[in-house]
Amino acid sequence: MRTDTYAVDDIHCGGCENMIRTLVGDVAGVQRVEPDHRTNQVVVTYDESQVDDTAIRESLANTGFRPR
């Protein structure tokens, strides 16, 4: 397992957090997604044998929250 923290702009509220948690959490291999609108960060724990950092970043971008 690996845990990465992504800086993401424009997370405004709990609704944004829920959308990120749901959509990124649906990616195969993702175990845990912890978005925080106060810090504009998303902590993702995932199985490196199933998914990589590039796929996580793409998934975040597809939700409309592009990681920096």
Side-chain angles (χ1 to χ4, degrees):
M1 287 296 175
R2 178 177 171 154
T3 300
D4 288 331
T5 301
Y6 300 92
V8 179
D9 292 325
D10 300 326
I11 304 174
H12 298 291
C13 62
C16 296
E17 291 177 353
N18 286 336
M19 182 170 49
I20 292 168
R21 191 176 294 112
T22 299
L23 296 176
V24 176
D26 284 345
V27 174
V30 171
Q31 301 298 312
R32 186 174 182 151
V33 182
E34 300 175 44
D36 188 332
H37 71 276
R38 293 173 302 245
T39 62
N40 280 321
Q41 293 185 334
V42 180
V43 179
V44 182
T45 302
Y46 58 97
D47 182 342
E48 293 177 279
S49 69
Q50 294 182 338
V51 66
D52 63 10
D53 176 67
T54 301
I56 300 293
R57 289 178 175 279
E58 287 175 3
S59 178
L60 282 166
N62 289 339
T63 65
F65 300 95
R66 185 168 302 280
R68 290 185 251 143

